[in-house]
Amino acid sequence: MINLFNAGLAAYVGALVCAVVYLMSSRRFFDRAANTMMAAGALVQTVYIGMRWVEAGRAPFSNMFESLVLFAWSVAVIYLVLRIQRNIPWLGAAASVFCALALAHASTFEADIKPLMPALQSNWLSFHVLTCFLGYGGFAVAFLIGIGVLVADRGASTVKPETRETLETVMTRTISFGFLFLTLGILTGAVWANSAWGTYWSWDPKETWSLITWFIYAIFLHCRFMRGWRGQASAWISIIGFASVLFTYFGVNFLLSGLHSYAQ
Amino acid sequence: MSDQNQKEKPGAPVKAPGIAGSIASLLGSLKFSLGVVVIIALACIAGTLIPQGEQVSRYLMKNPGSHKGLELMSSLGLTHVFSSWWFAALLCVLAASLLVCTGRRFQAIRRSSGAMRVRVAGSFVTHVSLLLVLVGGVVRVLWGEKGVLELSEGQEATACVGVAGMMPIPFTVRLVDFELEHYKTPGQALEAEGDALLVQWPEKGLAVKLPVELMKTQVIAPSAEPPGPDNTFRVTIERYIPDFFMDSATGGARSRSDQPNNPALYVSVVAAGSTNAQWVFARFPDFSRHGGQGGAGMPLQFKFVSGSANPAAMGRPEGPVKAFRSTVELIENGQVVLKKTIAVNSPMSHRGYTFYQLSYNPNDLTWTALQVVRDPGVPIVYAGFLLMMVGLTVVFCVGPYMDDKRKKTGVAA
Ligand code: HEM
């Protein structure tokens, strides 16, 4: 099974190489090759997740390794769906870097299928993780777009206005998508917590940070839709929002548990 | 950032005269409510980065130098953010702001039409759902109760230990049974090393290892001499029992559990017209020699070499805890009105009280601790959750479509 994992990683690296060659040579063949590789990566990962699901007898969304795999998968799928609608040449390269890095990072964690402790044996939990990571995938793509907007503004004259409009649209859509799924993720997490412990919200650091993330994107959406914010201002919110996503995901585990480690 | 391309929001503001009116229009303004959201977010950040509550004393022990700073933070309420009055006040201001803006949204629904109307309705539903969640939280704080109920098998209780003294329960709770279940992991892992039945005939120097395959007959004879009726045996492993015990009620052998705590094989041997059968135990190699029925004339000796019962596994025959469950009966007026098994992630509810499996005592498996929660706010909060998903789905599925349409028809936002 680890071969499938590596095949996914290889496909994303291949997609990256093709995308970079395409950016430098502008030859259509490499664009197609990059997209094919990306699709192959997503497909291989889907099979991998499916097999792991069968082997573990439960949804494989329970630890750092499994969630990173899911993260890469959701970014790849979201990118591919976007690619059908719009063509942002550099986004393929950026997304494949992201997927490859996520999988490379995953490979530093224990990949063995471990039995779950009682509190984690819940369908609500599987649903919670899946929806959160679909949301994070949307935010990751919106973050890449946000960076793109900032970079584009540096050399504003070279960016065609319709490309700029595409970036705005894609950023808003991916954040809307991410927000919908993050909300679903937070709510299913609350329902799970209530069925496991009798409290749907207990202000623990992870919960609190997911709420902070949610607030940031709610602010983005209100500024965008009610105030018509665009360009750098909304790009910055997207970047800050994703920083908050990463902090919720990694920081709370590593930094805050470091801070709290005296508790053990 | 605020000087970016600001546009007036659609719809006319509510015209309400006087102080109340201006407070309302302040509360309902987007700038104000997003400002409150930002402050709440900052408070949340403080509440996760600064040690909270009981962490403080431990933090001080580790970092003696930080005394002054923590004292200051403590007096500012930053060491118990989520239970502080000012955090609650912030949430109230947020609720008030949402209420005003939701009221205004409601009027906007009537004023708008077409797809715009759908979208405004969606945002209205979303804002209402947020209010519901906040209201549900208030209901929990005001009327909710929480306690811990400790019971041993057979014991009954009509109250549990609450946060502020005993918390009565309007019926009787009786613990019928507690059970703890482990994963089979180590057993499975070690089984891979192989279970085998070692068959020996010391006098003839015979030693064969048979794999543990049920109902497979294998013929065994010393290789040094020609096979005949006196030295040829048909050995069959008829049963495997992972956790052997002799049921005194039925007189039959049974398994206590799926764990290989006491693995045993039932081996039958046919030789020269006579049949013998005996139990062979992995843990008790000597027992089989003397314990078998009718094995007196049998020259063969059996040893059950069980991977799952090897010395490394004997200390901890079980894997990690898989589940723990309490079966309880609820009694009203002397009658059992409900009997259910409670497990983690599978609570039991009765008359507004919900019982959660909280913990157990590894040294006393007849004891259980249940959490008892009465939270009349939960239905309100869940209704809020449901509405929130409905509202967001309306906003985000119709929204982009709306934008496209608006652009195409050239109607200004
Ligand atoms: C975090 C708490 C929230 C606060 C404090 C808040 C506050 C506000 C305020 C003050 C307005 C302006 C109302 C007006 O001017 O009439 C508004 C509009 C709006 N809000 Fe929120 N809101 C919150 C959450 C949300 C969420 C989660 C969504 C989901 C998408 C949302 C969607 C909207 C929409 C779509 C509008 C504009 C409605 C329209 O386009 O006509 N809000 N919000």
Side-chain angles (χ1 to χ4, degrees):
Chain A
M1 244 206 336
I2 199 70
N3 288 335
L4 269 183
F5 175 88
N6 289 335
L9 179 54
Y12 292 137
V13 172
L16 171 62
V17 172
C18 293
V20 169
V21 173
Y22 170 61
L23 284 179
M24 297 195 310
S25 70
S26 293
R27 290 188 43 195
R28 293 268 309 164
F29 169 78
F30 289 104
D31 182 39
R32 269 194 228 118
N35 288 323
T36 310
M37 294 283 237
M38 197 77 175
L43 194 68
V44 165
Q45 273 207 291
T46 309
V47 174
Y48 176 74
I49 292 172
M51 282 175 63
R52 204 177 160 91
W53 195 320
V54 171
E55 188 170 325
R58 57 165 167 85
F61 313 140
S62 71
N63 57 18
M64 207 62 185
F65 174 84
E66 293 177 338
S67 66
L68 278 165
V69 168
L70 190 59
F71 205 171
W73 177 84
S74 101
V75 169
V77 169
I78 289 168
Y79 168 76
L80 286 166
V81 172
L82 275 177
R83 181 63 185 76
I84 295 170
Q85 302 167 348
R86 313 268 162 150
N87 186 9
I88 303 171
W90 55 268
L91 190 60
S96 48
V97 170
F98 192 96
C99 296
L101 281 180
L103 285 190
H105 189 48
S107 67
T108 66
F109 291 92
E110 187 73 82
D112 295 349
I113 293 174
K114 289 269 166 57
L116 293 184
M117 56 184 268
L120 298 185
Q121 302 160 17
S122 161
N123 288 334
W124 283 111
L125 177 66
S126 310
F127 201 50
H128 163 66
V129 177
L130 180 63
T131 48
C132 278
F133 278 89
L134 279 172
Y136 290 176
F139 294 145
V141 175
F143 160 78
L144 298 175
I145 299 278
I147 300 272
V149 166
L150 292 187
V151 172
D153 273 13
R154 291 281 145 101
S157 54
T158 62
V159 180
K160 284 183 283 175
E162 73 259 29
T163 317
R164 186 51 191 272
E165 195 52 42
T166 304
L167 294 186
E168 295 286 350
T169 310
V170 170
M171 183 154 73
T172 308
R173 285 196 185 170
T174 45
I175 287 185
S176 301
F177 173 88
F179 192 76
L180 187 64
F181 278 94
L182 176 64
T183 310
L184 195 53
I186 293 175
L187 299 189
T188 47
V191 172
W192 165 54
N194 194 39
S195 78
W197 296 293
T199 336
Y200 47 83
W201 194 262
S202 51
W203 295 108
D204 92 345
K206 200 120 187 156
E207 282 172 4
T208 309
W209 271 95
S210 71
L211 183 66
I212 293 166
T213 305
W214 191 80
F215 280 151
I216 294 173
Y217 286 109
I219 290 172
F220 173 97
L221 291 168
H222 285 81
C223 290
R224 177 75 189 79
F225 287 123
M226 300 294 293
R227 297 275 166 164
W229 280 24
R230 0 181 79 227
Q232 297 202 16
S234 47
W236 274 114
I237 309 186
S238 171
I239 291 167
I240 294 169
F242 193 64
S244 178
V245 167
L246 291 183
F247 192 80
T248 309
Y249 184 26
F250 299 110
V252 170
N253 289 5
F254 297 123
L255 296 178
L256 289 191
S257 72
L259 186 73
H260 294 176
S261 59
Y262 52 80
Q264 271 98 58
Chain B
M1 286 198 285
S2 59
D3 56 2
Q4 281 275 328
N5 199 13
Q6 291 193 1
K7 284 187 194 147
E8 268 317 303
K9 52 187 180 291
V14 180
K15 289 189 198 76
I19 296 179
S22 47
I23 290 180
S25 74
L26 172 70
L27 284 176
S29 84
L30 187 62
K31 245 188 198 159
F32 180 83
S33 62
L34 292 189
V36 176
V37 170
V38 169
I39 295 172
I40 293 176
L42 290 175
C44 287
I45 295 176
T48 59
L49 296 184
I50 300 168
Q52 299 286 302
E54 66 214 280
Q55 298 169 359
V56 174
S57 52
R58 286 188 233 120
Y59 185 80
L60 276 177
M61 284 201 305
K62 270 236 165 159
N63 308 276
S66 61
H67 203 85
K68 279 244 167 63
L70 264 188
E71 223 163 62
L72 178 71
M73 288 187 191
S74 166
S75 61
L76 291 174
L78 289 175
T79 52
H80 48 272
V81 171
F82 303 115
S83 56
S84 68
W85 63 267
W86 57 266
F87 192 75
L90 276 175
L91 291 179
C92 289
V93 174
L94 180 73
S97 166
L98 271 170
L99 192 64
V100 173
C101 131
T102 307
R104 194 159 44 190
R105 290 284 96 203
F106 188 63
Q107 293 164 342
I109 298 178
R110 291 193 306 189
R111 278 201 304 275
S112 53
S113 61
M116 187 59 171
R117 185 171 213 167
V118 174
R119 187 194 161 139
V120 173
S123 92
F124 172 78
V125 170
T126 305
H127 289 115
V128 169
S129 74
L130 285 168
L131 278 170
L132 279 179
V133 172
L134 287 171
V135 167
V138 170
V139 169
R140 178 192 184 94
V141 171
L142 292 184
W143 293 293
E145 283 181 294
K146 192 169 156 177
V148 175
L149 180 60
E150 296 174 15
L151 287 173
S152 291
E153 284 174 5
Q155 210 180 351
E156 294 180 352
T158 54
C160 64
V161 183
V163 186
M166 289 310 276
M167 167 182 155
I169 302 171
F171 43 83
T172 304
V173 187
R174 201 168 86 86
L175 179 65
V176 178
D177 183 35
F178 175 82
E179 53 179 332
L180 182 66
E181 190 189 332
H182 290 267
Y183 280 104
K184 292 181 210 161
T185 328
Q188 279 171 347
L190 290 165
E191 255 159 32
E193 285 173 19
D195 283 355
L197 181 69
L198 183 64
V199 186
Q200 289 170 305
W201 190 354
E203 288 92 325
K204 301 273 168 98
L206 175 121
V208 211
K209 239 183 186 176
L210 302 180
V212 175
E213 286 180 72
L214 295 187
M215 303 316 287
K216 183 177 172 194
T217 302
Q218 314 208 38
V219 182
I220 288 170
S223 54
E225 42 184 275
D230 295 334
N231 64 0
T232 305
F233 304 89
R234 301 171 157 271
V235 178
T236 312
I237 302 172
E238 293 187 354
R239 284 178 76 186
Y240 165 78
I241 288 189
D243 194 356
F244 180 94
F245 85 107
M246 195 55 87
D247 192 337
S248 51
T250 63
R254 294 216 345 237
S255 194
R256 223 180 226 112
S257 71
D258 291 342
Q259 310 299 326
N261 294 336
N262 186 16
L265 297 179
Y266 193 63
V267 182
S268 73
V269 185
V270 181
S274 74
T275 301
N276 282 299
Q278 60 179 278
W279 284 103
V280 186
F281 300 92
R283 290 277 171 79
F284 308 102
D286 295 333
F287 186 76
S288 54
R289 222 176 298 158
H290 314 294
Q293 322 107 304
M298 171 75 60
L300 293 187
Q301 293 178 4
F302 297 101
K303 276 205 178 101
F304 179 13
V305 188
S306 170
S308 50
N310 75 9
M314 280 173 76
R316 42 175 198 98
E318 307 121 333
V321 171
K322 181 176 182 188
F324 44 110
R325 311 180 191 91
S326 305
T327 303
V328 298
E329 284 174 348
L330 302 186
I331 302 159
E332 280 179 273
N333 306 321
Q335 296 221 314
V336 175
V337 289
L338 186 63
K339 178 172 177 180
K340 227 192 125 176
T341 301
I342 305 168
V344 182
N345 272 313
S346 169
M348 168 189 71
S349 288
H350 184 62
R351 289 178 51 188
Y353 289 78
T354 309
F355 298 81
Y356 299 85
Q357 181 66 60
L358 188 63
S359 62
Y360 65 94
N361 178 357
N363 298 320
D364 178 4
L365 294 180
T366 64
W367 180 93
T368 193
L370 304 175
Q371 173 140 299
V372 187
V373 176
R374 198 174 67 85
D375 183 355
V378 164
I380 305 175
V381 171
Y382 278 17
F385 287 1
L386 207 68
L387 274 189
M388 196 179 299
M389 289 324 298
V390 170
L392 288 180
T393 309
V394 169
V395 168
F396 290 124
C397 296
V398 181
Y401 168 79
M402 277 286 316
D403 274 349
D404 288 350
K405 194 139 198 183
R406 202 188 290 168
K407 258 176 236 133
K408 271 183 205 138
T409 54
V411 179

